[in-house]
Amino acid sequence: MNRAFNRKKDKTWMHTPEALAKHYIPYNAKFLGNTEVEAPKGTEVVKDAVRKLKFQRHIKKSEGQKTPKVELQISIYGVKILDPKTKDVQHNCQLHRISFCADDKTDKRIFTFICKDSESNKHLCYVFDSEKCAEEITLTIGQAFDLAYKKFLESGGKDVETRKQIGTLQKRIQELETENSELKKQLQELEEQLMIAHVPPAGSISMKPQSTDVFDMVPFSPVTPLVPTPASNGCPPPPPTTLPPDIRKDLFGAEPFDPFTCGAADFPPDIQSKLDEMQEGFKMGLTLEGTVFSLDPLDSRC
């Protein structure tokens, strides 16, 4: 590991000052991860962090996990680490918090820098793998440091505070965007649940108030006359059934006996005379406890 950023006035950098001051320089690399270190700078500190992250990456690779690719955006304001596809910011390392940067001379694909975390105030070492651009990326970060230092001297230190405020605002904006995306997701889930609750399932039959009983019959009411109504299946009601005259007779072909409607002519003469005698006998003196019982239906004393 070796890279010292000496701010020499005659040093020739790779990029124009405008590119780093007004825009950024993008690079693609593989991100081995970050780990906490005890000191803000030092070659041995960085070597230990690289060995640790290489070993962790070797274990993950044996488990089938690939090293994630990231995009680096380098400017005088810091180094952003983004997802190359979605452009989501994974880490935003402000330049005034970066205390050390170096590439590995024994492994020219590895470069790293140490940055102080804004929340925990711990020093984290970020390690990257770039097959062709490791040294170039390290030099670009060095150029960003040089331009930021010159701007600091020109502004009398006011620019540092401005960058701190901008960095804080950028972080707050990122948190609000994340919160907004979560709220949108929850709102979409609630809308889907409401749609499922209001839409009846396929093949369901809407229930209508039934005006008939379990046998599809109109309930009987002694006040209202019975009127045939169509069945629920749409079929017309069957015609009323009437018994033919022959069915009104008994098994022997005679009219059923009705004691309330039969008269004297309904019995043979001999039987009728016996009945008359019996009726006269009862009229002549059948008395029980002062009450006279009569078989004559016309007798009002019954």
Side-chain angles (χ1 to χ4, degrees):
M1 297 284 177
N2 188 7
R3 181 65 59 187
F5 298 128
N6 297 322
R7 300 183 179 90
K8 297 180 180 180
K9 295 182 180 180
D10 57 348
K11 189 173 182 62
T12 303
W13 296 107
M14 301 180 61
H15 307 284
T16 61
E18 291 78 11
L20 287 167
K22 298 181 180 180
H23 304 283
Y24 59 85
I25 307 299
Y27 290 99
N28 291 322
K30 293 181 179 180
F31 186 33
L32 273 68
N34 58 17
T35 183
E36 183 181 356
V37 293
E38 297 179 357
K41 58 184 177 179
T43 304
E44 294 300 324
V45 174
V46 172
K47 283 183 178 180
D48 292 339
V50 171
R51 281 194 294 266
K52 179 181 179 180
L53 291 175
K54 275 187 173 181
F55 179 73
Q56 293 179 358
R57 181 53 53 186
H58 179 72
I59 294 176
K60 292 181 180 180
K61 188 176 181 180
S62 64
E63 295 175 351
Q65 299 183 19
K66 295 182 179 180
T67 305
K69 296 180 180 180
V70 295
E71 178 182 336
L72 300 177
Q73 295 181 356
I74 304 173
S75 68
I76 63 173
Y77 301 105
V79 179
K80 288 185 179 181
I81 305 172
L82 301 88
D83 185 287
K85 294 182 179 180
T86 62
K87 301 300 179 180
D88 293 336
V89 179
Q90 299 177 358
H91 303 278
N92 186 12
C93 303
Q94 300 175 15
L95 201 67
H96 67 276
R97 292 184 173 274
I98 298 177
S99 56
F100 189 79
C101 182
D103 55 5
D104 192 348
K105 294 304 178 182
T106 60
D107 189 352
K108 295 185 178 181
R109 301 178 306 173
I110 302 298
F111 69 95
T112 179
F113 62 83
I114 298 176
C115 180
K116 188 176 183 180
D117 186 67
S118 59
E119 295 182 356
S120 62
N121 286 329
K122 296 180 180 179
H123 292 92
L124 302 177
C125 182
Y126 294 79
V127 181
F128 302 88
D129 184 344
S130 178
E131 187 175 354
K132 298 179 180 180
C133 301
E135 185 177 1
E136 180 180 342
I137 293 172
T138 307
L139 290 172
T140 303
I141 296 176
Q143 184 180 0
F145 267 106
D146 187 73
L147 292 173
Y149 181 71
K150 289 180 180 180
K151 197 172 183 179
F152 169 76
L153 294 177
E154 292 173 358
S155 63
K158 295 181 180 179
D159 190 60
V160 176
E161 295 298 328
T162 303
R163 287 203 304 271
K164 288 182 179 179
Q165 294 178 3
I166 292 175
T168 303
L169 292 175
Q170 288 177 345
K171 183 179 178 181
R172 180 57 180 165
I173 290 172
Q174 184 179 354
E175 292 176 352
L176 291 175
E177 288 178 350
T178 304
E179 184 179 356
N180 187 28
S181 61
E182 291 293 332
L183 291 175
K184 286 182 178 179
K185 185 178 180 181
Q186 294 178 6
L187 181 61
Q188 184 177 1
E189 292 177 354
L190 289 174
E191 290 178 351
E192 292 177 354
Q193 292 178 2
L194 289 174
M195 290 177 64
I196 294 175
H198 285 84
V199 175
S204 63
I205 301 174
S206 59
M207 299 301 294
K208 296 181 180 179
Q210 297 293 330
S211 60
T212 57
D213 59 12
V214 293
F215 300 103
D216 201 16
M217 300 291 291
V218 178
F220 173 74
S221 175
V223 178
T224 59
L226 294 177
V227 179
T229 57
S232 60
N233 56 6
C235 297
T241 56
T242 56
L243 296 176
D246 295 340
I247 302 180
R248 296 181 179 273
K249 298 181 179 181
D250 61 9
L251 197 60
F252 300 99
E255 294 289 339
F257 173 74
D258 188 355
F260 297 100
T261 59
C262 63
D266 293 332
F267 298 98
D270 54 346
I271 297 177
Q272 185 64 41
S273 62
K274 295 291 184 180
L275 290 174
D276 293 339
E277 293 177 1
M278 293 173 63
Q279 187 175 4
E280 289 296 333
F282 279 101
K283 286 181 178 181
M284 290 177 63
L286 185 60
T287 303
L288 179 61
E289 294 182 358
T291 301
V292 178
F293 289 87
S294 175
L295 295 179
D296 189 355
L298 300 179
D299 193 347
S300 58
R301 292 177 299 173
C302 295

